[in-house]
Amino acid sequence: PQGVRLLQQAIWLRDISEWARGDGFDNLQRATALFDWTVRNIQLVPDKDYRPRWPWQTLLYGEGTAAQRAWIFALLCRQQGLEVVVLSVAEGNGQQKFWLPALWLDGKLYLFDTRLGLPIRGPDGESVATLRQVRADTGLLASLDIGDFKYPVLADALKHVTADLVASPFELSRRARLLEAELTGQDRLVLTTAPSLQAEAIQAGGEIT
């Protein structure tokens, strides 16, 4: 049954996140460690080779598209009480396309590029950049150009960024909420999310216009 698979998925993600988060107490450092585990253990495959997969399947196969890597990263962070959203930018035809996952922390969106396998660096070249910073300094994205490779997201695209919340029907269900409430101590699992509260907080933060 799919419910059993998703419960096993949550157990795997919890156990991985407990090990991969490192010993730091800083939430940004923890998220960075979980991102590093994701890109090291989920081999990137081109978007053209996309196959629909649940996160537990991505973990088993050890490979996925940039978007599937983002899903794994988001769920690992959720097990540690951290929220990650997926950002999309406008294409020339007016459609939105996947860009990258972003950690929502202290009213800011910190950018992690699952296609490059690197966090977007801030003005000091060391910290993780926020969406607000890359909007204010277009050189942060331009600095990712290497030779003939041009970073695929241009400054103009940042004028229209949308944030998608990561949630499956199971995570929004009443049965998941009831089960989560019964699991405590070493058995504790994060099985649910509150997308409406997340959306309100992100909109209030002013990073998504």
Side-chain angles (χ1 to χ4, degrees):
Q2 187 62 22
V4 175
R5 288 287 193 186
L6 295 178
L7 185 59
Q8 180 65 65
Q9 171 182 290
I11 294 171
W12 287 352
L13 291 162
R14 179 200 61 192
D15 292 347
I16 291 168
S17 70
E18 287 291 331
W19 176 83
R21 69 183 184 184
D23 298 326
F25 292 99
D26 178 86
N27 284 331
L28 183 55
Q29 289 180 349
R30 285 189 173 191
T32 302
L34 295 175
F35 175 78
D36 184 67
W37 185 93
T38 302
V39 298
R40 288 177 181 272
N41 289 275
I42 307 299
Q43 180 181 349
L44 182 66
V45 300
D47 291 345
K48 64 181 179 62
D49 296 331
Y50 165 79
R51 294 183 180 181
R53 284 176 179 163
W54 287 96
W56 64 267
Q57 293 174 309
T58 301
L59 289 170
L60 278 177
Y61 285 104
E63 64 177 22
T65 63
Q68 288 168 330
R69 278 178 156 188
W71 197 356
I72 294 293
F73 173 53
L75 295 182
L76 287 172
C77 284
R78 182 167 294 159
Q79 291 297 324
Q80 294 299 312
L82 304 172
E83 286 302 330
V84 168
V85 298
V86 172
L87 301 186
S88 299
V89 295
E91 291 188 294
N93 57 10
Q95 300 295 313
Q96 296 293 115
K97 69 173 182 178
F98 166 81
W99 178 23
L100 47 70
L103 172 71
W104 173 246
L105 180 66
D106 299 329
K108 300 175 183 177
L109 287 166
Y110 291 88
L111 309 178
F112 294 84
D113 194 313
T114 47
R115 186 168 280 107
L116 287 183
L118 297 168
I120 304 297
R121 292 302 177 188
D124 60 2
E126 298 292 334
S127 61
V128 181
T130 66
L131 178 58
R132 188 174 289 114
Q133 286 174 326
V134 298
R135 277 176 165 161
D137 183 356
T138 57
L140 294 177
L141 294 185
S143 68
L144 297 170
D145 297 346
I146 302 176
D148 293 335
F149 170 81
K150 302 299 181 184
Y151 190 72
V153 174
L154 302 177
D156 285 348
L158 301 182
K159 296 176 182 177
H160 303 286
V161 178
T162 58
D164 295 314
L165 305 176
V166 179
S168 68
F170 175 74
E171 291 168 310
L172 302 175
S173 68
R174 183 172 180 270
R175 61 175 176 151
R177 187 167 61 253
L178 293 173
L179 179 58
E180 183 181 85
E182 294 295 323
L183 298 173
T184 59
Q186 293 184 342
D187 294 329
R188 180 181 176 275
L189 284 173
V190 179
L191 299 174
T192 62
T193 185
S196 59
L197 296 178
Q198 294 173 35
E200 289 175 6
I202 292 172
Q203 289 174 346
E207 288 232 51
I208 298 296
T209 57

